[in-house]
Amino acid sequence: MKAHTTLLQHKPPIKVRMGKVFKKMRVHWPLYVLLLPPIIYVAIFSYVPMYGVLLAFKQYQPLKGIIGSPWVGFSHFEQFFSSPSSWRIIKNTVLISLYSLVAGFPLPILLAVALNEVRKHWFKKTVQMVTYAPYFISSVVLVGIVMQVLDPRIGLVNQFIQFFGGEPINFMGETQFFRSIYVWMGIWQGTGYGAIIYLAALAGVSKDLQEASIIDGASKVRRIWHVDLPSIRPTIVILLVLSIGGIMGVGFETIYLMQNNLNLSVSEIIATYVYKVGLINSNYGFSTAIGLFNSMINLILLIIANFTARKLTDSGLW
Amino acid sequence: MSKLIKPTVGDRIFDVIIHLVLCVGFIVVAYPLLYVVSASFSNPQAVVSGKVWLFPVNPTLQGYAAVFKNPQIVTGFMNSLFYMIVGTLLNIVMTVIAAYPLSRKELQGRNVVTLFFVITMFFSGGLIPSYLLVKNLGLLDTRWALIIPAAMSVWNVIITRTFFQVTIPQELYEAAQIDGAGDFRFLVSIAIKLSAPIIAVMALYYGVGHWNTYFSALIYLKSPELFPLQIILRSILVINNIDPTMVVDFEVLQRKQGLTDVLKYSVIVVASVPVLLIYPFVQKYFVKGVMIGSIKG
């Protein structure tokens, strides 16, 4: 970077500058050769589908392809917003997301702060090892475990309930439990992993500030509140902005596995709907339109969240 | 420090609370894991009648025997191994050859290329356009459908690039250059050797991703002989669809049912072990990798 700016400061004639650029490119040709496959990959697998988004405004006809299919304007969007079930799906998506954000966001911070206070190395390591482990379990296995544990016949939870004289509950079939099961399952799986990033940030908290506050007689709670947490605020803000940007992006994999006919009224979300309409019913244009709507909302939320974070705390993604 | 200033009563109480909270967290996470493992080793009758609470009851390997006798599970396991190994190798190569040039100041148009990559993290075409692309490329219902579209993750490229920038000093390039090593030679014989930690982390991320995903297989594959383990698991654990022929050894219906239940626990263990086995080996790198990710690129 430095060399580059001095180069600009001298401002040699443009021809000479371009000549230098080409000379540099020639010397470092391997860099460009190496970069070629990744660029081609991204162009094909990310940019070609972006152009495929045109489908949202077309009536797809397989024989005519994306370009040849007739335009239909915004009719897919109108169709989506005029049906009452669409609003239910949007509502489900937002509710599940907000629930996981509110319940799940503070916990990794709490875990990290607690772990950071532990002085016994073996205790800290053991808790860390075990709390990370669920992160490596696949969503199929996770849902499988939950379904086994909540099973009305042999599930551990229902055996508990029966042991204390209660009636077994079909947890997966009751709409009232669906969100909580999903959210707390995610928390069980992700809290340990989520704490790593905060632990890293806490390791960077200034030792001078810590010692100064100890000498000033601050209790541990006050040190956490006035030194640790303010120091890791940029990390917290960035992760919060990212989570808000993902509010409409509830993952397909886990929810789809948990769906059954009994809980569909609360478990149908945009991602599962896009899959069913698009790939099962082959309604390509309509499905692309809903997907586009979803990713636009995500982008807008991300921008708003980042803007707000910048204004309020001076830190953000960009 | 503690010798100079005695902890106050309040601080001691706080310490106790913190340790209690962590113990509760530990139990909440560990107990279901322990229960699944215990149930997988237990006698089917004991599992069905709720006698398993903590440790295996009348330990047997019946569940595991049933798992390894099931041809679907074995095929799925081998397929998943293939997808994981080949997919991860491709991922590592692609990530390194993308991240290395982007970490070099000498690369002209570095910011433009980075932007070209980063945009794809915030906006994507979505399900149907991606599906149509894979279909038009003729990858549908082939093994490559699970490998080529997932050849590289831009997020991981950015993390790896940042690692290169932070750990490999500019002086090293210059020294190598004076010694006559070109950019290519430098990557192969110096940069890669210095970046073992990040390559280990990337292998873990990508490997776990390949092993655990079922979505691409669900949309791109139709032939059962190509199915990865997760698809088989889904039909056993979630859809509850167990081929009756795989429990031929037991005619009694109740025993059959009990064995099915234990088989579920056993298959959960079998499916999770490969990933959990790698994890301790790369753990120290893993934490490092997450930390690098937190450095703003």
Side-chain angles (χ1 to χ4, degrees):
Chain A
M1 212 56 197
K2 215 173 183 178
H4 196 67
T5 42
T6 46
L7 192 77
L8 286 178
Q9 272 160 8
H10 286 301
K11 290 247 176 211
I14 184 106
K15 239 183 176 175
V16 177
R17 261 193 291 157
M18 288 310 284
K20 277 193 174 173
V21 167
F22 283 124
K23 199 178 162 200
K24 270 189 179 173
M25 286 180 77
R26 218 174 40 230
V27 173
H28 293 288
W29 64 268
L31 298 182
Y32 303 90
V33 173
L34 286 171
L35 205 48
L36 205 58
I39 288 180
I40 294 171
Y41 164 77
V42 169
I44 294 179
F45 286 94
S46 297
Y47 283 88
V48 171
M50 277 190 211
Y51 140 86
V53 152
L54 286 181
L55 271 180
F57 309 97
K58 292 198 166 203
Q59 193 60 52
Y60 184 67
Q61 288 165 4
L63 291 178
K64 292 184 180 168
I66 296 176
I67 304 178
S69 297
W71 291 94
V72 292
F74 283 88
S75 73
H76 292 311
F77 293 92
E78 281 161 21
Q79 189 194 339
F80 180 64
F81 289 115
S82 61
S83 106
S85 67
S86 307
W87 291 104
R88 204 193 62 223
I89 292 162
I90 295 174
K91 190 183 113 192
N92 286 342
T93 311
V94 173
L95 280 180
I96 289 175
S97 223
L98 280 180
Y99 187 174
S100 11
L101 184 66
V102 172
F105 190 78
L107 286 173
I109 305 175
L110 212 71
L111 178 64
V113 167
L115 280 171
N116 196 44
E117 291 299 315
V118 173
R119 292 287 157 264
K120 288 183 210 79
H121 191 68
W122 65 268
F123 184 72
K124 191 174 171 179
K125 271 273 161 300
T126 318
V127 174
Q128 274 182 294
M129 267 294 251
V130 170
T131 50
Y132 296 168
Y135 180 75
F136 296 98
I137 291 174
S138 74
S139 44
V140 178
V141 167
L142 181 65
V143 174
I145 292 176
V146 169
M147 286 172 82
Q148 285 300 102
V149 170
L150 297 179
D151 189 271
R153 184 172 49 88
I154 60 155
L156 190 63
V157 174
N158 275 309
Q159 284 173 5
F160 249 117
I161 293 174
Q162 281 170 303
F163 184 77
F164 291 107
E167 284 291 307
I169 301 168
N170 181 12
F171 287 98
M172 297 304 286
E174 302 267 350
T175 51
Q176 70 205 64
F177 296 120
F178 180 82
R179 287 188 196 111
S180 296
I181 295 172
Y182 173 79
V183 168
W184 290 97
M185 201 169 89
I187 289 173
W188 181 79
Q189 181 172 39
T191 300
Y193 176 78
I196 299 177
I197 204 160
Y198 294 113
L199 269 173
L202 282 168
V205 172
S206 145
K207 292 278 172 294
D208 293 351
L209 275 181
Q210 292 277 17
E211 281 167 20
S213 63
I214 293 173
I215 292 165
D216 287 349
S219 68
K220 279 197 173 180
V221 183
R222 290 193 144 257
R223 257 180 286 159
I224 290 172
W225 190 254
H226 292 293
V227 178
D228 288 352
L229 287 179
S231 305
I232 63 168
R233 196 170 63 185
T235 311
I236 298 178
V237 169
I238 287 172
L239 291 178
L240 189 61
V241 168
L242 279 176
S243 327
I244 291 172
I247 278 194
M248 295 284 279
V250 182
F252 170 91
E253 294 214 341
T254 315
I255 300 264
Y256 185 67
L257 292 168
M258 290 172 71
Q259 279 181 351
N260 57 45
N261 291 332
L262 297 173
N263 65 24
L264 209 57
S265 64
V266 292
S267 66
E268 189 79 291
I269 57 163
I270 297 178
T272 54
Y273 189 64
V274 165
Y275 168 73
K276 287 176 195 167
V277 170
L279 288 186
I280 296 180
N281 301 340
S282 296
N283 199 344
Y284 289 175
F286 186 52
S287 170
T288 308
I290 306 167
L292 178 64
F293 159 74
N294 195 8
S295 55
M296 285 332 276
I297 298 281
N298 269 337
L299 201 59
I300 292 168
L301 281 173
L302 184 73
I303 291 167
I304 294 175
N306 192 57
F307 178 79
T308 319
R310 272 244 162 274
K311 282 268 170 242
L312 294 180
T313 67
D314 238 27
S315 43
L317 273 181
W318 64 85
Chain B
M1 193 67 63
S2 58
K3 274 178 190 164
L4 295 174
I5 300 171
K6 268 193 173 175
T8 62
V9 179
D11 278 0
R12 280 204 194 135
I13 295 173
F14 182 70
D15 259 348
V16 172
I17 293 173
I18 284 226
H19 282 82
L20 276 179
V21 168
L22 288 176
C23 284
V24 170
F26 176 85
I27 292 167
V28 167
V29 175
Y31 181 65
L33 296 175
L34 179 65
Y35 176 78
V36 168
V37 175
S38 295
S40 75
F41 283 107
S42 293
N43 185 293
Q45 245 62 47
V47 174
V48 175
S49 55
K51 288 195 188 104
V52 180
W53 289 102
L54 197 59
F55 294 113
V57 174
N58 305 329
T60 111
L61 290 173
Q62 283 183 33
Y64 289 94
V67 166
F68 289 111
K69 261 187 232 155
N70 180 342
Q72 278 179 305
I73 297 178
V74 174
T75 314
F77 195 93
M78 298 318 277
N79 282 338
S80 279
L81 272 184
F82 173 83
Y83 295 132
M84 181 167 76
I85 293 170
V86 177
T88 307
L89 283 177
L90 179 66
N91 289 146
I92 298 291
V93 171
M94 287 290 281
T95 306
V96 168
I97 63 174
Y100 170 70
L102 288 178
S103 75
R104 294 288 302 269
K105 286 169 186 155
E106 291 82 357
L107 184 77
Q108 302 296 316
R110 193 157 69 123
N111 293 334
V112 178
V113 180
T114 308
L115 188 69
F116 177 77
F117 282 178
V118 168
I119 285 175
T120 65
M121 282 169 33
F122 295 102
F123 192 77
S124 73
L127 178 66
I128 302 296
S130 309
Y131 173 81
L132 287 177
L133 174 70
V134 169
K135 193 178 169 187
N136 292 337
L137 291 173
L139 297 175
L140 221 54
D141 207 24
T142 68
R143 287 184 190 277
W144 302 111
L146 300 198
I147 292 173
I148 294 176
M152 191 182 95
S153 134
V154 169
W155 177 240
N156 288 342
V157 169
I158 300 295
I159 293 176
T160 310
R161 180 209 62 172
T162 310
F163 182 91
F164 282 143
Q165 280 172 345
V166 172
T167 52
I168 304 175
Q170 183 69 20
E171 290 77 23
L172 207 53
Y173 291 120
E174 283 155 16
Q177 224 164 15
I178 291 165
D179 289 345
D183 296 310
F184 200 72
R185 180 81 189 280
F186 185 82
L187 171 68
V188 175
S189 35
I190 301 173
I192 286 186
K193 285 183 185 131
L194 288 175
S195 45
I198 197 68
I199 291 177
V201 174
M202 287 304 135
L204 179 72
Y205 279 170
Y206 282 123
V208 170
H210 283 294
W211 185 264
N212 281 347
T213 186
Y214 77 92
F215 184 58
S216 16
L218 182 71
I219 59 178
Y220 296 140
L221 299 183
K222 284 195 184 64
S223 321
E225 69 272 14
L226 299 180
F227 283 169
L229 184 60
Q230 300 297 330
I231 291 281
I232 313 287
L233 284 180
R234 174 172 168 258
S235 62
I236 294 176
L237 293 174
V238 180
I239 310 178
N240 217 345
N241 170 17
I242 301 188
D243 186 355
T245 54
M246 66 195 209
V247 275
V248 281
D249 300 3
F250 301 88
E251 290 91 35
V252 188
L253 191 72
Q254 204 201 342
R255 284 185 69 190
K256 216 171 184 175
Q257 183 59 51
L259 186 65
T260 311
D261 289 321
V262 174
L263 177 131
K264 286 184 180 176
Y265 289 112
S266 311
V267 83
I268 285 174
V269 175
V270 169
S272 310
V273 155
V275 171
L276 290 175
L277 273 187
I278 327 173
Y279 163 60
F281 292 104
V282 287
Q283 199 215 359
K284 57 177 177 180
Y285 296 139
F286 172 65
V287 173
K288 212 172 181 175
V290 179
M291 274 156 42
I292 299 160
S294 68
I295 299 171
K296 254 170 84 176

